[in-house]
Amino acid sequence: LGNISGPIAIGPLFMALKDGDSVVRDAAAKALSSIGNAGLAREEVIALLSQAATKGENARVQVSAAWALGKIAGKDIFDPLFKALMNPDRNLCVPAAWALGETRRKE
């Protein structure tokens, strides 16, 4: 679905990001980064990824969501990435720091 990178993939990927299986959510987060980068439903993509990166998610999903936010980049992703950066799990802090650096580099 992420390779489709069009509006037709957004709905199923949103649903996949809410799936009970963390592997499915992880893959959806990665796929949504390419769709968010294309500017399609950007606000919705950022909102879902922000939630996945900061709200008690599986660590693997949090890392993928933070990485995906970095791929999308833009000033509107600072808040969720700062929250992810403050997470006590250092495995999440590294991709959050990378994502913040990517955002800064793309400005």
Side-chain angles (χ1 to χ4, degrees), residues 10-94:
I10 293 173
L13 285 171
F14 281 179
M15 292 177 64
L17 197 57
K18 297 175 185 177
D19 193 271
D21 185 342
S22 64
V23 174
V24 173
R25 292 191 312 271
D26 178 54
K30 290 175 182 172
L32 281 167
S33 71
S34 62
I35 291 174
N37 248 350
L40 303 168
R42 181 180 171 81
E43 285 115 24
E44 293 88 350
V45 170
I46 290 172
L48 280 172
L49 289 174
S50 298
Q51 184 176 9
T54 59
K55 302 264 196 276
E57 247 314 335
N58 168 288
R60 180 176 171 178
V61 176
Q62 285 182 305
V63 167
S64 292
W67 174 84
L69 285 167
K71 298 268 298 172
I72 293 171
K75 292 181 181 181
D76 48 353
I77 65 162
F78 283 154
D79 286 342
L81 288 174
F82 280 126
K83 287 180 186 172
L85 194 59
M86 297 299 127
N87 191 299
D89 181 353
R90 294 293 164 214
N91 291 321
L92 178 57
C93 293
V94 171

